Amino acid sequence: MKLPDKVCLVEVGPRDGLQNEATALSVVQKSTLVDKLSACGLSVIETGSFVSARWVPQMADSGDVFSTIRRYPGVRYTALTPNERGLDAAIDADVSEVAIFAAVTESFSMKNLNASIAATLSRYETVLSRAAAAGLPVRGYLSCVLGCPYEGAVAPEAVRRLTRHLLDAGCHEVSLGDTIGTGTAGSMNHLLDVLLDGGIPVERLAVHCHDTYGQALANILVALQRGVGTIDTSVSGLGGCPFAVGATGNVATEDVVYLLDGLGIEHGVDLDGLLDASRYISEQLGRETQSRAARALFAARGIAGGHSTST
Ligand code: HMG
Ligand code: MG
């Protein structure tokens, strides 16, 4: 199987990571993180989300974060938008791209969006047409593609049907979310069999692997072997979903960069700059980085990286 020569990393730490943090960070701390991520060469940074502050208070200041960041040429600064109100706010914030998000199971859809799958998809029709009119590309997310915290196993055929729906509706790509990290190399491979054999073009897929069970790197390697060239990652392994209790962070960007370097796959990220961002956010949150590669590299370099400066 041929691996891609090059992959695009979608950095989701400032959104997926910080949405789940108990520590409230200031706009300056959040925008400093985004600036450090821009500086190290990441080309897509999910910077915030325009969702209900009642549901996710950590993202309530996303508009201010967007107006504070330094925008690097060629970098796309993206945000989640669950409805038209979110889209309006995203347009006001001058985002480069928006993302809509749906779930494969009814239970997760109700918990995350307070609406059924059908109602969510119908709400997105207007979001998609208005985004197109505003010239904004739209990414689609599907949650729970390899397991649901409420319903357990998920049929890959349901993932294929919803992926097809989001692409036909106008999403330029669909990110397959293993929200609770229960997927394995076997189940990821089987899911991709069903999607690719079912006519979903591989270049329109991304993978979004939470690392709750320590399987994310293995699952990503399988996706790379199947030709997937877009991988969502989160600096320092930040992340989780407030509506998937117990789910931990996304795969760490540092770990994926280390993997890609070993495979000789181009990714455009400067590892030293990324470690600087990793150390910064760990210090702000006062805890050690979740990235195994970052911890090993900090130790090898004799840097007290990833620990709170106060300890
Ligand atoms: P609702 O309560 O059903 O609807 O929420 P509502 O219309 O009654 O709105 C509730 C309140 O939110 C109202 O304010 C609205 O005005 C306000 P109140 O009357 O209480 O003062 N509101 C908004 N405020 C700001 N921006 C908006 C907005 N919309 C309504 N856009 C809703 C429905 C969809 C809004 C809510 O369920 C919601 O915000 N859900 C988002 C949840 C979320 O952000 N989850 C985490 C991100 S998804 C994820 O992490 C998974 C992913 O990483 C992939 C994976 O890992 O699987 C992407
Ligand atoms: Mg996620």
Side-chain angles (χ1 to χ4, degrees):
M1 271 169 225
K2 191 177 173 333
L3 293 164
D5 297 328
K6 190 176 166 182
V7 301
C8 174
L9 297 180
V10 174
E11 171 60 51
V12 299
R15 191 281 303 172
D16 200 338
L18 299 186
Q19 76 179 9
N20 212 37
E21 283 300 330
T23 309
L25 295 185
S26 68
V27 169
V28 170
Q29 287 171 309
K30 291 178 181 180
S31 62
T32 302
L33 173 65
V34 174
D35 290 349
K36 285 179 180 290
L37 295 168
S38 298
C40 74
L42 285 153
S43 59
V44 188
I45 303 176
E46 202 168 69
T47 303
S49 63
F50 295 99
V51 299
S52 166
R54 187 140 63 85
W55 286 62
V56 186
Q58 294 91 331
M59 291 286 109
D61 54 7
S62 286
D64 296 332
V65 174
F66 270 93
S67 60
T68 309
I69 55 172
R70 178 170 163 210
R71 302 199 189 214
Y72 283 58
V75 179
R76 277 148 58 203
Y77 298 94
T78 70
L80 297 191
T81 53
N83 52 21
E84 284 193 79
R85 176 158 169 199
L87 178 68
D88 288 335
I91 292 171
D92 283 350
D94 195 20
V95 306
S96 326
E97 175 177 322
V98 295
I100 57 175
F101 47 108
V104 183
T105 62
E106 292 294 348
S107 310
F108 194 78
S109 186
M110 289 308 299
K111 291 275 184 197
N112 200 32
L113 289 146
N114 201 25
S116 67
I117 298 170
T120 303
L121 296 177
S122 144
R123 183 197 287 160
Y124 286 147
E125 283 171 21
T126 336
V127 175
L128 279 155
S129 63
R130 288 196 45 218
L136 278 180
V138 181
R139 166 179 243 223
Y141 276 106
L142 270 180
S143 288
C144 301
V145 302
L146 293 174
C148 171
Y150 310 104
E151 296 185 22
V154 162
E157 291 71 20
V159 181
R160 182 185 58 201
R161 188 173 47 77
L162 288 163
T163 301
R164 171 51 62 205
H165 178 98
L166 289 173
L167 292 175
D168 289 349
C171 293
H172 70 87
E173 74 184 2
V174 171
S175 177
L176 303 169
D178 184 10
T179 315
I180 52 170
T182 47
T184 61
S187 60
M188 175 64 92
N189 199 42
H190 179 54
L191 174 65
L192 290 172
D193 269 345
V194 171
L195 265 59
L196 302 182
D197 293 351
I200 305 288
V202 72
E203 57 280 2
R204 301 196 57 193
L205 291 177
V207 289
H208 178 105
C209 298
H210 285 263
D211 201 25
T212 318
Y213 286 77
Q215 304 300 303
L217 281 181
N219 298 345
I220 287 168
L221 180 58
V222 165
L224 289 168
Q225 288 170 333
R226 303 302 303 265
V228 175
T230 303
I231 302 170
D232 297 358
T233 64
S234 177
V235 63
S236 195
L238 300 172
C241 177
F243 307 101
V245 176
T248 63
N250 285 86
V251 67
T253 312
E254 303 91 304
D255 294 357
V256 174
V257 164
Y258 188 83
L259 171 73
L260 295 174
D261 282 342
L263 292 169
I265 299 177
E266 203 183 307
H267 49 73
V269 177
D270 169 52
L271 184 56
D272 287 337
L274 180 61
L275 290 174
D276 179 47
S278 177
R279 196 167 57 241
Y280 173 77
I281 194 59
S282 299
E283 284 172 1
Q284 303 311 302
L285 294 171
R287 64 154 194 267
E288 193 180 26
T289 176
Q290 297 301 301
S291 162
R292 299 286 295 272
R295 274 190 234 164
L297 288 164
F298 288 139
R301 295 171 186 192
I303 300 168
H307 285 287
S308 165
T309 43
S310 59
T311 55

